[in-house]
């Protein structure tokens, strides 16, 4: 079927698995098992703030859910997903690194993820002593 092979941006709510030792970093490759598909992708993690903006975060929070955007096959909402970083037979550690569910699939367009703005330099003019 044509709709089963459609690729796009997937928005998911994920959490680092409690038995995984390290925290997950944005833009690190991860293998995701989504439904009956298994693929490697590069996720971007973000948090939704008060103004409903998606703030980019470099690492996943310790004991909280966060929003994850990645490129993959489009699936219906509430599809569970598993993520792991390595798939060798010699891995002795616990391999599952994140769990979550799909919130929505974006067939076209791109998500709006903003980074924190850091101002550098010197001010041109100071109007008052604060």
């Amino acid at each position: 079927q044509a709709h089963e092979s459609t690729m796009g941006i997937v928005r998911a709510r994920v959490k680092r698995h409690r038995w995984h030792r390290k925290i997950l970093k944005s833009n690190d490759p991860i293998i995701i098992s989504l439904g009956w598909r298994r693929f490697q992708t590069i996720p971007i993690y973000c948090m939704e703030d008060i103004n409903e903006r998606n703030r980019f975060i470099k690492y996943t929070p310790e004991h909280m859910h966060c929003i994850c955007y990645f490129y993959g096959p489009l699936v219906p909402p509430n599809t569970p997903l598993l993520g792991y970083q390595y798939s060798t037979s010699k891995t002795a550690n616990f391999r599952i690194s994140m769990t979550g569910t799909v919130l929505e699939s974006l067939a076209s367009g791109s998500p709006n993820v903003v980074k924190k703005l850091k101002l550098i330099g010197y001010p041109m003019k100071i109007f008052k002593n604060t």
Side-chain angles (χ1 to χ4, degrees):
Q1 306 255 356
H3 69 292
E4 289 184 355
S5 60
T6 308
M7 302 288 277
I9 303 292
V10 178
R11 179 177 179 240
R13 190 181 84 224
V14 298
K15 185 178 182 180
R16 179 186 65 89
H17 197 278
R18 62 182 175 175
W19 293 343
H20 188 66
R21 296 177 191 267
K22 296 186 279 185
I23 57 176
L24 302 173
K25 186 179 176 185
S26 281
N27 298 324
D28 265 5
I30 194 164
I31 299 167
I32 291 182
S33 178
L34 185 64
W36 50 270
R37 302 167 184 93
R38 188 174 293 170
F39 56 94
Q40 184 174 8
T41 187
I42 297 175
I44 293 176
Y45 302 113
C46 60
M47 294 287 281
E48 203 170 271
D49 63 0
I50 301 165
N51 302 333
E52 294 184 12
R53 281 185 299 201
N54 290 321
R55 284 244 185 242
F56 174 83
I57 52 176
K58 198 169 186 177
Y59 300 100
T60 54
E62 197 67 33
H63 301 290
M64 290 171 47
H65 285 90
C66 67
I67 304 295
C68 170
Y69 285 101
F70 59 87
Y71 183 77
L74 300 181
V75 292
N78 295 328
T79 303
L81 68 92
L82 286 176
Y84 57 96
Q85 290 182 322
Y86 311 109
S87 65
T88 61
S89 59
K90 296 179 182 177
T91 307
N93 297 11
F94 190 73
R95 291 192 327 182
I96 296 175
S97 53
M98 78 174 181
T99 58
T101 58
V102 173
L103 296 176
E104 66 177 334
S105 297
L106 307 170
S108 62
S110 62
N112 195 9
V113 178
V114 295
K115 285 190 173 183
K116 187 174 181 180
L117 182 66
K118 288 188 178 180
L119 301 175
I120 57 172
Y122 298 100
M124 265 180 54
K125 189 173 183 180
I126 299 174
F127 289 105
K128 260 188 174 177
N129 294 336
T130 55

